[in-house]
Amino acid sequence: MSVMQHMAAANNKWHAAALALPAAPRGFGRRHRVSCCIQPPVGDRGIGEDRLTEISIATDGDGIFGVDMKQLIDDAQQSILHLNTGRTTAFEKLQKVERERDLLAARVAQLKAEHEASMAECDLLRQKAKQFEMSFHVSGRQGKSAGSMKRFKMNRKRFNPPSIWSEILLRIDAMTLTGVLQIEQATSLRKLVWARDAQIADMFFKLADGNDAELSARLLSIISSTRRRSLHIVHICTEMAPVAQPGTASFNISNLCKALRRNGHLVEVILPKYDCMDLSAVDNLREIETDLYIYFGDQWHKNRIWIGTLYGIAVTLLEPFHPGNFFAREEFYNYNDDFERFTYFCKLSLEYLLKLGKQADILHLHNWQTAAVAPMFWEHYAHQGLQDIRLVLTCHDFRYQCLRDPHKLAICGLDPEQLNRPDRLQDDLEPRFINMLKGGIVYSNIVTTVSPIYAADVLTKEHGYDLHVTLNTHKDKFIGIYNGLDDVLWDPALDCALPETYSVEDMAGKSVCKASLRQELGLPMVDDSVPLVGCILFENSEVELKLIRAALECAVGEEAQFVCAVHNNPGLGIRLTGKQIHTDANARLLGVNDDALLHRIVAASDILYSPDMYEPASQSVMIGMRYGAVPVARQVHSITSSIINLDEQQHIILHATGFPFYSTEDSDAITSLHDALTYWKCHPEMWSTLVRNCMSKDLSWDSSCVEAYEAAYWSVHKV
């Protein structure tokens, strides 16, 4: 019964009672009128003043026809209380209906995303083609790479959506007949094919031209992964390639999400809706016709929600209508109000999850920009029905931490007095500030970074960026996981930036790449027996110039050639190409912004020299290995590495992949480079084996990388 119906019923009841009252005794000459105005509490929408019910009872003399005045007022008060109770119940039911409506809308969106993801063959081929063609056009070498593009288009034609499943079934039959697969294994794989499983299509696309043993092993790993329960993982981040890619972290996040999805997990991503982002790659982007309000800075603010899919992954874009225009800007980062911008986004993300009642298994946070989610979650949201969620924080770069005045925490609803403590958010070096990255470390269930080497470095005072005390305090939950390599972007067999492609089975194109680079850079045109040492440094690289100088002198002294390129790092590039290092006719030092030139340098290199004191993810090492450039790189003792040292004395080369050094001294680096050049000259056959070992190593996100993240998730998962 509605509030108005309750009021009307009460009015009728009281009028009937008045008519049934006995006649007034004589002598009551004065007449009175009692008016009861029943008005709902302020804020009850839909009832205006003109709708108020007035109850009038005529009276004579000092009484009301013999009726007890106090009893009448008590009855009226009870009726009003009953009306208020009914109103509260109705309001709660309305809230429940609205919540169920929002949950249903979210479920519909999720099912649509899953349906789109299930169209694996179309999505897979379209995205791979888009990525490959993008690198083709960026390279600017269409003419020289026509053969490569033709081969790729032939492969795309071969694996068109209607036929890919038939190709897989035929290959399974062939492997069964030859004894590579058992009948039970083949049956399980056929079930995945009939179900149009995205994982098996993606794996077959990548390994179709490989040998049966490798293909069968990877396909069988899919069977084992589908038998275990999957996780629901929500990434809260401020960048993701290709829609928002201010740095390398955006590619790492994108590749991790795709690898997790291929392993059967339900993956979602929440991002700010920047004005400067590229939304062309987002499929079925649409706005949800509802507004979400959050309380921030002592005011309520309206927000819009957009949803779509990227690589078959459900993506939510949150658009704030804040007077600060937090994300309506030309750049992603480096504004004076970045603290306000990203704490707002963190709170908005949690309110969005709470409103939908999303019970994810894992919230995966990235860098300081979303680290505030962790203290907000445990201080305000966990007890509101989200207590089973666990938090994982990945820091891609510990240099960026965000230090602010503690009182700023109040604008996002956090208590400065509670959190400005040494064991919470207070900065270790500057106690007058709070440290947002530290807060994420303290409040997250597990903290990861982009390689075991980097994890070992930041635990030390020299390389910990003043967070080493906090990281050591929480080292039991701190791990380093190697990022994988984007095997679409970095593939010498399909690289359009190269004058001639090559592979581990056919290395002829590498010599062509070396001769072409010499001509492009004006190096002496010597024969192929002269080794070329390459060195590529990225935007986040830190390296001492003495290590570059020493490598240049060593390479030239050993009658080799040396090419070093700094990519998108103006400060290091200026120092490198200035007067501080004297070059030679057989050496080139370059500051470049051209991605394609980096590809050509790596492809032409026989040895890749990586002297970084700081390149967290060791991407240059993995790129070199992928292109058959044997790495000489800094490693950390006792830390598992992608480089397996070659024991030169015993010539143990079965699994060797490079020549590591273990200190920051130029003498150690040059010793390893000298060993590599000597091995090139004295053991050419073994060097070929070394190159094959490098190129055959699985460095993709689908290898041990995604398995390590899965292990981290399961270690904190609430059973």
Side-chain angles (χ1 to χ4, degrees):
M1 185 179 292
S2 68
V3 174
M4 292 304 302
Q5 288 173 330
H6 275 298
M7 293 170 62
N11 191 19
N12 293 334
K13 178 179 178 182
W14 291 340
H15 277 294
L19 293 173
L21 292 175
R26 289 175 176 266
F28 285 83
R30 289 174 297 169
R31 297 185 61 82
H32 304 279
R33 185 174 183 85
V34 178
S35 296
C36 297
C37 184
I38 301 175
Q39 180 176 355
V42 176
D44 192 355
R45 300 174 183 174
I47 303 177
E49 292 183 358
D50 60 329
R51 302 280 303 274
L52 298 178
T53 301
E54 184 181 86
I55 303 171
S56 302
I57 302 177
T59 70
D60 287 298
D62 297 324
I64 308 177
F65 302 142
V67 176
D68 186 352
M69 183 68 173
K70 182 177 183 300
Q71 181 62 42
L72 182 61
I73 292 174
D74 288 343
D75 289 344
Q77 289 176 338
Q78 290 296 321
S79 296
I80 291 172
L81 179 63
H82 178 71
L83 289 174
N84 286 339
T85 302
R87 174 205 176 261
T88 302
T89 302
F91 187 67
E92 290 175 350
K93 288 181 178 179
L94 179 61
Q95 284 185 316
K96 182 179 180 181
V97 169
E98 290 179 345
R99 183 180 178 86
E100 290 175 349
R101 182 198 65 189
D102 291 338
L103 288 171
L104 183 60
R107 181 58 179 159
V108 169
Q110 180 178 329
L111 288 173
K112 286 182 178 179
E114 292 175 359
H115 172 71
E116 292 167 5
S118 69
M119 303 298 291
E121 63 277 25
C122 297
D123 175 62
L124 175 67
L125 294 175
R126 184 172 62 253
Q127 296 300 338
K128 285 184 178 295
K130 185 185 294 185
Q131 287 183 341
F132 189 82
E133 289 169 358
M134 186 182 301
S135 66
F136 172 74
H137 290 297
V138 167
S139 69
R141 300 178 66 85
Q142 293 93 327
K144 295 184 178 181
S145 303
S148 177
M149 176 59 78
K150 182 179 179 181
R151 285 193 296 275
F152 181 73
K153 288 184 175 179
M154 289 175 63
N155 284 337
R156 275 204 312 180
K157 183 177 180 180
R158 175 186 173 191
F159 295 124
N160 62 76
S163 69
I164 185 173
W165 305 110
S166 300
E167 293 279 352
I168 299 173
L169 287 172
L170 291 172
R171 188 69 175 270
I172 291 172
D173 291 345
M175 290 189 291
T176 306
L177 290 172
T178 57
V180 176
L181 288 176
Q182 299 178 5
I183 293 177
E184 295 80 4
Q185 294 171 332
T187 301
S188 299
L189 289 174
R190 290 189 188 100
K191 289 180 180 179
L192 293 179
V193 175
W194 294 331
R196 298 297 192 264
D197 187 271
Q199 300 175 77
I200 197 169
D202 192 20
M203 194 67 67
F204 184 75
F205 184 90
K206 290 191 292 187
L207 300 177
D209 294 329
N211 58 64
D212 285 349
E214 181 182 8
L215 177 61
S216 63
R218 296 301 294 273
L219 293 180
L220 291 175
S221 69
I222 296 175
I223 296 178
S224 62
S225 68
T226 57
R227 289 175 179 169
R228 66 172 184 266
R229 193 169 78 85
S230 62
L231 291 167
H232 182 188
I233 304 154
V234 177
H235 289 261
I236 302 179
C237 48
T238 57
E239 55 187 270
M240 180 185 184
V243 294
Q245 49 186 60
T248 55
S250 63
F251 294 94
N252 295 336
I253 293 169
S254 178
N255 286 321
L256 174 59
C257 290
K258 289 188 286 185
L260 289 169
R261 180 206 156 201
R262 286 193 292 267
N263 271 19
H265 301 288
L266 175 59
V267 182
E268 298 183 62
V269 178
I270 300 176
L271 287 161
K273 189 176 185 294
Y274 300 97
D275 276 8
C276 59
M277 69 194 320
D278 179 8
L279 298 175
S280 61
V282 181
D283 295 324
N284 198 23
L285 179 65
R286 59 204 181 275
E287 180 184 353
I288 299 297
E289 295 182 0
T290 185
D291 295 326
L292 177 62
Y293 287 84
I294 69 167
Y295 193 73
F296 185 89
D298 297 326
Q299 294 183 36
W300 287 96
H301 299 282
K302 175 183 173 181
N303 305 273
R304 293 277 176 84
I305 302 167
W306 299 73
I307 60 173
T309 57
L310 181 65
Y311 305 119
I313 299 163
V315 175
T316 300
L317 306 176
L318 301 180
E319 180 183 16
F321 284 80
H322 188 280
N325 295 320
F326 283 157
F327 302 110
R329 306 189 184 180
E330 296 179 355
E331 304 292 338
F332 296 100
Y333 301 140
N334 299 323
Y335 291 97
N336 292 332
D337 61 348
D338 276 358
F339 173 86
E340 289 81 4
R341 297 171 69 217
F342 294 115
T343 52
Y344 185 99
F345 170 67
C346 290
K347 186 168 186 177
L348 179 56
S349 299
L350 287 170
E351 288 288 343
Y352 171 72
L353 294 173
L354 181 65
K355 182 176 178 66
L356 295 181
K358 284 204 175 187
Q359 293 292 337
D361 296 302
I362 301 292
L363 290 187
H364 195 145
L365 319 176
H366 298 268
N367 292 333
W368 79 261
Q369 287 88 352
T370 57
V373 168
M376 287 182 189
F377 177 83
W378 292 113
E379 292 290 330
H380 295 306
Y381 292 89
H383 64 278
Q384 298 188 58
L386 304 178
Q387 65 275 359
D388 290 341
I389 296 176
R390 293 296 177 262
L391 307 185
V392 174
L393 169 67
T394 294
C395 183
H396 301 258
D397 193 333
F398 280 94
R399 290 179 295 179
Y400 306 105
Q401 302 172 17
C402 188
L403 274 61
R404 290 295 188 273
D405 187 288
H407 293 95
K408 279 184 170 281
L409 290 173
I411 67 172
C412 58
L414 293 174
D415 187 346
E417 293 184 3
Q418 289 291 325
L419 299 183
N420 187 26
R421 293 164 32 182
D423 61 337
R424 301 289 175 85
L425 270 67
Q426 188 179 80
D427 187 65
D428 294 337
L429 185 65
E430 296 282 352
R432 60 194 178 94
F433 293 123
I434 49 98
N435 185 319
M436 298 310 297
L437 182 58
K438 177 181 176 179
I441 294 169
V442 171
Y443 277 88
S444 294
N445 298 101
I446 197 163
V447 181
T448 76
T449 191
V450 293
S451 77
I453 294 174
Y454 188 44
D457 279 345
V458 294
L459 288 172
T460 66
K461 183 177 181 180
E462 294 76 16
H463 303 289
Y465 301 99
D466 302 320
L467 273 175
H468 58 284
V469 174
T470 295
L471 290 170
N472 278 283
T473 301
H474 297 275
K475 65 181 179 181
D476 289 342
K477 65 177 184 182
F478 180 47
I479 57 174
I481 300 175
Y482 277 113
N483 282 339
L485 192 65
D486 189 328
D487 54 359
V488 173
L489 180 63
W490 296 101
D491 184 355
L494 294 171
D495 195 333
C496 295
L498 308 185
E500 185 69 35
T501 58
Y502 60 94
S503 66
V504 67
E505 291 84 11
D506 181 6
M507 294 291 293
K510 191 167 180 67
S511 297
V512 176
C513 292
K514 190 192 296 188
S516 176
L517 185 73
R518 284 170 173 155
Q519 183 176 11
E520 181 180 356
L521 300 183
L523 289 167
M525 297 300 292
V526 295
D527 61 47
D528 199 43
S529 63
V530 176
L532 192 149
V533 179
C535 177
I536 56 174
L537 303 171
F538 291 103
E539 65 267 20
N540 57 358
S541 297
E542 287 185 4
V543 61
E544 296 185 26
L545 292 183
K546 65 177 183 180
L547 294 175
I548 302 295
R549 184 186 300 113
L552 187 154
E553 293 172 354
C554 175
V556 172
E558 297 275 351
E559 297 182 346
Q561 293 177 323
F562 184 82
V563 176
C564 180
V566 182
H567 184 252
N568 288 340
N569 191 331
L572 180 57
I574 291 171
R575 290 189 294 132
L576 187 66
T577 58
K579 301 294 184 181
Q580 301 182 46
I581 298 180
H582 298 287
T583 59
D584 183 270
N586 281 300
R588 294 292 182 272
L589 303 177
L590 312 168
V592 301
N593 296 317
D594 181 9
D595 292 342
L597 180 55
L598 288 184
H599 287 239
R600 294 194 292 276
I601 291 173
V602 179
S605 299
D606 300 296
I607 297 170
L608 188 81
Y609 178 62
S610 181
D612 272 306
M613 297 301 99
Y614 178 90
E615 191 214 339
S618 300
Q619 287 285 294
S620 62
V621 171
M622 291 190 287
I623 291 169
M625 293 172 64
R626 178 78 164 153
Y627 280 68
V630 176
V632 174
R634 189 181 77 89
Q635 304 292 286
V636 175
H637 282 294
S638 76
I639 300 298
T640 301
S641 167
S642 54
I643 299 180
I644 300 175
N645 195 7
L646 173 66
D647 187 331
E648 186 180 1
Q649 293 182 348
Q650 299 183 30
H651 300 299
I652 299 175
I653 198 172
L654 182 61
H655 302 293
T657 55
F659 298 82
F661 56 95
Y662 298 93
S663 79
T664 59
E665 296 298 324
D666 55 345
S667 58
D668 291 338
I670 298 315
T671 297
S672 294
L673 180 57
H674 171 76
D675 291 344
L677 289 168
T678 301
Y679 213 83
W680 158 274
K681 295 175 182 178
C682 300
H683 306 285
E685 292 184 0
M686 290 186 175
W687 185 267
S688 298
T689 302
L690 198 59
V691 170
R692 283 195 298 272
N693 291 348
C694 290
M695 296 185 70
S696 301
K697 192 173 180 67
D698 187 356
L699 301 170
S700 70
W701 281 87
D702 294 307
S703 60
S704 58
C705 171
V706 72
E707 294 172 0
Y709 275 106
E710 288 175 322
Y713 295 151
W714 284 111
S715 70
V716 296
H717 176 247
K718 179 70 173 179
V719 179

